[in-house]
Amino acid sequence: MVHIPVLLNETVAALNPKPGENFIDCTFGRGGHSLAILERTAPQGRILAIERDAESLSALPQELKEHPRIVFVGASYVDLGEIVREKEFENIGGVLFDLGMSSWHLEESGKGFAFSRDELLDMRYDRKSPLTAADILNRFPAAELRNIFQNYGQEKTAGKIAAAVERERKKKEIATAGQLAKIIEREAGARRWRAAAARIFQALRIQVNCEFEHIEKGIPAAFEIIAPGGRIAVITFHSGEDRIVKNIFRDFCRSGKAKTVYPKPMAPSEAEINRNPRARSAKLRVLEKVLAAEERNANDNQHYEQKNKNPGKKHCFQF
Ligand SMILES: C[S@@+](CC[C@H](N)C(=O)[O-])C[C@H]1O[C@@H](n2cnc3c(N)ncnc32)[C@H](O)[C@@H]1O
């Protein structure tokens, strides 16, 4: 199944790309959002395409890999500041974060992201990350597993499932998605085991990839590199990540350095959810950088001093 970009029209409208502007896609995935932005920034606007999963990048179609206006970087957006400096990427109109994983991860990566596929439980976007999902399941104390399932999955049977993992791994190492799915089915019951499995798999993925830490560092890094008027659009898929984004945006707004573009997060329409059920929990938040009051004052003073340096010319000062 191909990845269908979520909230595509809403995201492009919010970023408002114009011909010649450059944008950063911090989570390139299959490139759906980037291509829509490139249509609006033709003929010269470029995309800095960051993607943490090197295998996802190498599985892209050749013509996309060779797109003349896309600069690819295989890295995490946590290093955004450094990446932008290294690539000398300028004139940035906005930055996009479409969090989580793509349909490619679930269906083609072979990394054990889906509870319905009996693959090895890896779940690392970046194979250089130290721990796989199986490492965590087999090595972490039950109390820590419970916290992960609770905090990153909001799963109400977190304690029961953690205890069952601890019992099972004494008999046999837990290596595959199928083994974990069976444990969850036994503990959560036939009626709700699929919902529970989705939450437990999500929690493991977040832990394996330190997703929350990357969001907490990546968004402020994006804020640093955009100019006043530039926008940051973030699409989240569950309450844990949405809370982080909401709090970061709130702090920027309180400091007077930014404003939110919409009073409430945007959600997909019913038609979109029918077309693409994966969109059902999505939320889009958009922040715009503004000139902080001190910077405005400093600019005004500079302007005033410059005008005063030239006493020969008599005209009104314009602020
Ligand atoms: C939801 S998908 C993006 C889909 C994309 N917008 C599209 O239309 O095809 C999220 C992508 O972000 C990547 N990703 C996750 N965490 C990342 C990080 N910290 N840095 C860079 N990419 C990351 C994932 O590997 C995945 O490919």
Side-chain angles (χ1 to χ4, degrees):
M1 192 213 282
V2 286
H3 180 85
I4 307 172
V6 169
L7 287 164
L8 180 64
N9 294 336
E10 293 83 350
T11 306
V12 174
L15 288 170
N16 192 19
K18 297 185 200 66
E21 276 183 338
N22 295 330
F23 282 81
I24 302 180
D25 186 344
C26 282
T27 50
F28 185 77
R30 316 315 289 160
H33 288 95
S34 279
L35 287 173
I37 292 170
L38 284 168
E39 265 180 40
R40 302 263 295 259
T41 59
Q44 275 169 337
R46 293 182 304 150
I47 289 273
L48 181 63
I50 302 174
E51 170 55 58
R52 194 174 175 191
D53 192 327
E55 289 152 71
S56 171
L57 276 183
S58 54
L60 289 173
Q62 199 58 29
E63 81 261 24
L64 193 49
K65 286 187 197 170
E66 288 168 6
H67 196 295
R69 292 194 285 130
I70 304 181
V71 180
F72 285 103
V73 179
S76 168
Y77 57 68
V78 81
D79 297 319
L80 187 59
E82 238 166 79
I83 295 168
V84 165
R85 273 193 299 280
E86 207 172 278
K87 295 285 172 193
E88 297 179 4
F89 203 74
E90 287 168 349
N91 185 24
I92 301 160
V95 183
L96 169 65
F97 296 82
D98 177 14
L99 300 175
M101 61 183 165
S102 66
S103 304
W104 178 87
H105 281 104
L106 283 168
E107 284 148 35
E108 292 177 54
S109 71
K111 294 189 191 185
F113 287 104
F115 63 84
S116 53
R117 288 176 181 261
D118 198 17
E119 298 166 345
L120 285 178
L121 276 169
D122 187 314
M123 292 198 188
R124 289 170 302 171
Y125 295 133
D126 177 354
R127 297 251 195 210
K128 294 191 291 305
S129 300
L131 295 178
T132 65
D135 292 332
I136 289 167
L137 284 173
N138 290 297
R139 293 191 208 161
F140 281 27
E144 227 169 294
L145 289 178
R146 187 198 55 221
N147 287 343
I148 293 169
F149 300 158
Q150 234 160 31
N151 297 339
Y152 296 159
Q154 282 91 40
E155 173 49 36
K156 63 181 181 191
T157 61
K160 263 175 93 180
I161 294 172
V165 165
E166 196 183 37
R167 276 196 311 276
E168 287 301 316
R169 72 191 186 189
K170 283 187 187 142
K171 295 184 224 157
K172 187 179 177 205
E173 189 156 296
I174 299 165
T176 67
Q179 275 175 281
L180 179 58
K182 276 208 187 91
I183 296 173
I184 299 170
E185 188 175 1
R186 260 202 320 269
E187 299 303 318
R191 210 171 42 84
R192 67 170 301 277
W193 81 271
R194 283 174 192 279
R199 290 162 185 263
I200 298 290
F201 274 64
Q202 169 189 297
L204 278 170
R205 191 199 81 213
I206 292 171
Q207 173 72 31
V208 166
N209 296 293
C210 304
E211 290 188 23
F212 286 3
E213 289 91 321
H214 284 233
I215 300 170
E216 276 161 1
K217 290 184 181 150
I219 296 177
F223 194 78
E224 282 296 307
I225 52 137
I226 53 170
R231 289 182 174 184
I232 300 175
V234 187
I235 303 171
T236 62
F237 289 89
H238 54 87
S239 57
E241 59 190 16
D242 187 57
R243 199 172 318 116
I244 297 175
V245 177
K246 183 173 144 190
N247 290 341
I248 296 174
F249 279 17
R250 184 204 54 209
D251 290 348
F252 277 123
C253 290
R254 282 190 183 157
S255 74
K257 293 178 186 162
K259 60 179 187 190
T260 47
V261 174
Y262 306 116
K264 286 196 165 167
M266 298 261 247
S269 64
E270 235 171 86
E272 174 167 6
I273 297 171
N274 289 338
R275 237 183 9 257
N276 180 16
R278 196 183 159 263
R280 69 187 170 278
S281 52
K283 281 185 182 164
L284 168 67
R285 292 185 184 271
V286 187
L287 188 77
E288 182 175 313
K289 188 165 180 172
V290 296
L291 260 190
E294 325 75 89
E295 291 173 73
R296 270 198 305 276
N297 289 341
N299 280 359
D300 289 350
N301 288 341
Q302 213 178 7
H303 194 156
Y304 178 88
E305 278 159 21
Q306 259 166 15
K307 296 268 182 190
N308 265 342
K309 263 189 204 154
N310 200 347
K313 282 191 185 163
K314 291 233 184 307
H315 51 226
C316 296
F317 298 131
Q318 287 170 342
F319 294 105

